[in-house]
Amino acid sequence: DVVLTQTPSILSATIGQSVSISCRSSQSLLDSDGNTYLYWFLQRPGQSPQRLIYLVSNLGSGVPNRFSGSGSGTDFTLKISGVEAEDLGVYYCMQATHAPYTFGAGTKLELK
Amino acid sequence: QIQLVQSGPELKKPGESVKISCKASGYTFTDYAMHWVKQAPGKGLKWMGWINTYTGKPTYADDFKGRFVFSLEASASTANLQISNLKNEDTATYFCARRGGMDAWGQGASVTVSS
């Protein structure tokens, strides 16, 4: 199975600070169809996950543009340009290029 | 708007069975696959598999073969997850999510297995 390693596991930030989360894959996530099926989700406390980014860098519907995704192959990054209070929670990356789909262990974003 | 509404919390004993439902609205049910994701208490997300909502064909991740069954009530735009012979380690919240890109999620269904 593909292992996704997220760093850091805990991220402390102040409101307005820009932060980044890394997601490294044990295998290339570039599919034979040319797409890279790497996604980012946010799970706020007590809620279900919400998709933020799809196919590495595409912003999900209704997601603020302070979120951005980048990367290729095995290295991917989620950036939040100016953290807001509503951004607190656990961030997960997920790959759907190789079966079974796998998630990273999560990065908890908390207020400093 | 797109909504996935799951059934309520369940408390079961080891060895019993449970059926969780996920009712979709706001789109054509058979146009998108339905995926299932497990989250044990305080833990991360684990993909269980998916069901083709057009053909009804299920696909299970290895850890979810045998006691887990995905099914449909297509006329009711509903996907179901049934777990038989429940074990303590099945205690978790189970989410349904639309399509491989998981662009919409249910609110989660809590299953507690305890004697």
Side-chain angles (χ1 to χ4, degrees):
Chain A
D1 297 359
V2 173
V3 176
L4 298 180
T5 302
Q6 281 186 240
T7 54
S9 54
I10 300 175
L11 187 53
S12 297
T14 56
I15 299 301
Q17 183 180 353
S18 291
V19 298
S20 293
I21 299 169
S22 171
C23 177
R24 289 189 168 171
S25 173
S26 60
Q27 299 178 34
S28 174
L29 299 183
L30 177 62
D31 192 66
S32 56
D33 66 5
N35 288 317
T36 299
Y37 295 94
L38 188 282
Y39 303 84
W40 290 96
F41 299 90
L42 165 61
Q43 187 174 30
R44 298 184 177 95
Q47 296 188 17
S48 53
Q50 168 197 1
R51 191 179 76 174
L52 300 174
I53 301 287
Y54 64 97
L55 299 180
V56 180
S57 59
N58 295 277
L59 207 59
S61 175
V63 176
N65 60 12
R66 63 180 177 274
F67 291 94
S68 61
S70 62
S72 64
T74 60
D75 285 356
F76 304 92
T77 301
L78 175 71
K79 182 177 181 179
I80 310 172
S81 299
V83 168
E84 298 193 6
E86 66 181 18
D87 300 338
L88 304 184
V90 182
Y91 290 80
Y92 296 96
C93 56
M94 183 197 81
Q95 68 81 24
T97 298
H98 305 283
Y101 296 4
T102 49
F103 291 87
T107 294
K108 184 177 183 180
L109 178 61
E110 58 184 27
L111 276 181
K112 188 181 291 183
Chain B
Q1 76 281 22
I2 297 162
Q3 273 196 304
L4 301 176
V5 178
Q6 297 186 238
S7 48
E10 302 270 6
L11 175 59
K12 295 290 185 181
K13 291 180 167 38
E16 294 184 335
S17 296
V18 69
K19 189 173 186 178
I20 297 164
S21 65
C22 170
K23 183 170 176 59
S25 61
Y27 70 98
T28 301
F29 181 70
T30 51
D31 281 353
Y32 299 94
M34 194 68 77
H35 289 248
W36 291 92
V37 175
K38 177 183 179 181
Q39 186 169 40
K43 301 296 185 182
L45 304 170
K46 186 166 187 176
W47 182 73
M48 302 174 66
W50 64 285
I51 186 165
N52 183 318
T53 54
Y54 187 75
T55 64
K57 179 185 175 185
T59 299
Y60 302 96
D62 284 349
D63 286 350
F64 299 98
K65 291 178 179 175
R67 299 186 297 114
F68 299 82
V69 175
F70 306 148
S71 63
L72 302 174
E73 297 170 46
S75 60
S77 298
T78 298
N80 300 307
L81 164 63
Q82 183 159 354
I83 311 171
S84 60
N85 189 20
L86 283 161
K87 304 178 186 304
N88 289 336
E89 54 264 37
D90 295 325
T91 294
T93 297
Y94 294 87
F95 295 99
C96 55
R98 191 180 81 150
R99 68 193 292 183
M102 300 191 194
D103 61 350
W105 292 65
Q107 83 276 21
S110 171
V111 175
T112 301
V113 183
S114 174
S115 53

